[in-house]
Amino acid sequence: QVQLQESGPGLVKPSETLSLTCDVFGYSISSGYYWGWIRQSPGKGLELIGNIYYSGTTYYNLSLKSRVTISLDTSRNQFSLKLTSVTAADTAVYYCARAYSSGLETYYDYWGQGTLVTVSS
Amino acid sequence: QSVLTQPPSVSGAPGQRVTISCTGSSSDIGAGYDVQWYQQLPGTAPKLLVYGNNNRPSGVPERFSASKSGTSASLAIAGLQAEDEADYYCQSYHSTLSGSGVLFGGGTRVTVL
């Protein structure tokens, strides 16, 4: 069974960098699939931050692209998110997830439990 | 990033059938991209409910069904149960967005009366 688990600081100061890690269990991230970060602001819907293919190619939400970096660490079987220059608008629950994508079909089949990150001084 | 349009809420009595619509455009659902549906129970992560327009992952009850036509899709819940009270999100792909074209709907809150 594939499991994902997010970790990182729950509180980040404005203008600083948000850093999260997603540990993957039950599947080697270097074997395939896309690996993504999705966030949900309080009381709001889901927003894709970006995906990284197992080869290392990244795909970012255009509205966040200038501030986002997603990377893989295959030795630790984890992938990471860095979001720079955060503001209160970046306060959200951050989810990591595995994405299947082929042809006209893209979906997230396994999700982490989510981690709340609050941006505040 | 464009958003797929869903009604904010739907409700029904136990045992009733409810449907949730998801309206897109000719650049996403209408372009042939598959539609997925996720269920998010209160305080939990989203769970894949339907993929590839109308396929249920193992363990998802048959009373959840979905369809797609033109630029829209819909999710139906038959025999509504109290445990179905949750937020439901549709998801597809937008062909003209460079970078990642994954789109989510705004979500629909299903309330069991």
Side-chain angles (χ1 to χ4, degrees):
Chain A
Q1 179 75 344
V2 179
Q3 293 182 309
L4 295 89
Q5 185 173 311
E6 306 89 350
S7 61
L11 181 64
V12 181
K13 290 182 168 56
S15 80
E16 295 190 345
T17 296
L18 179 159
S19 296
L20 296 174
T21 296
C22 181
D23 288 295
V24 180
F25 305 95
Y27 188 85
S28 172
I29 63 173
S30 60
S31 295
Y33 288 92
Y34 292 78
W35 304 91
W37 288 96
I38 296 152
R39 69 181 184 180
Q40 186 171 34
S41 301
K44 302 290 186 180
L46 302 168
E47 178 184 33
L48 175 72
I49 299 170
N51 295 319
I52 186 167
Y53 195 42
Y54 76 100
S55 63
T57 304
T58 52
Y59 304 86
Y60 299 136
N61 183 326
L62 290 178
S63 67
L64 299 170
K65 187 175 183 178
S66 63
R67 300 194 291 131
V68 173
T69 302
I70 297 175
S71 58
L72 297 172
D73 186 340
T74 56
S75 66
R76 298 185 177 186
N77 211 42
Q78 63 184 203
F79 60 105
S80 299
L81 167 69
K82 290 189 185 301
L83 182 66
T84 63
S85 305
V86 298
T87 70
D90 295 309
T91 294
V93 175
Y94 286 75
Y95 296 100
C96 60
R98 188 180 82 167
Y100 170 87
S101 184
S102 179
L104 299 174
E105 190 172 39
T106 299
Y107 58 83
Y108 296 87
D109 57 357
Y110 291 97
W111 296 65
Q113 81 279 9
T115 186
L116 174 62
V117 178
T118 302
V119 178
S120 175
S121 56
Chain B
Q1 204 96 340
S2 302
V3 176
L4 303 173
T5 302
Q6 298 180 236
S9 64
V10 299
S11 61
Q16 282 190 332
R17 181 177 187 270
V18 297
T19 61
I20 302 168
S21 61
C22 174
T23 302
S25 71
S26 58
S27 296
D28 40 67
I29 297 175
Y33 291 98
D34 285 353
V35 178
Q36 281 63 236
W37 293 89
Y38 301 85
Q39 178 192 57
Q40 186 175 32
L41 296 170
T44 70
K47 167 193 166 186
L48 182 65
L49 199 65
V50 170
Y51 67 95
N53 301 319
N54 56 13
N55 299 293
R56 290 183 306 275
S58 174
V60 173
E62 291 183 2
R63 54 199 183 79
F64 290 95
S65 62
S67 63
K68 170 189 159 183
S69 178
T71 59
S72 297
S74 64
L75 174 72
I77 309 174
L80 194 63
Q81 299 182 6
E83 65 203 51
D84 300 332
E85 194 158 279
D87 294 325
Y88 293 82
Y89 294 89
C90 61
Q91 175 253 306
S92 188
Y93 193 91
H94 194 288
S95 61
T96 62
L97 293 173
S98 60
S100 178
V102 171
L103 295 178
F104 288 99
T108 298
R109 172 70 54 87
V110 170
T111 301
V112 181
L113 301 172

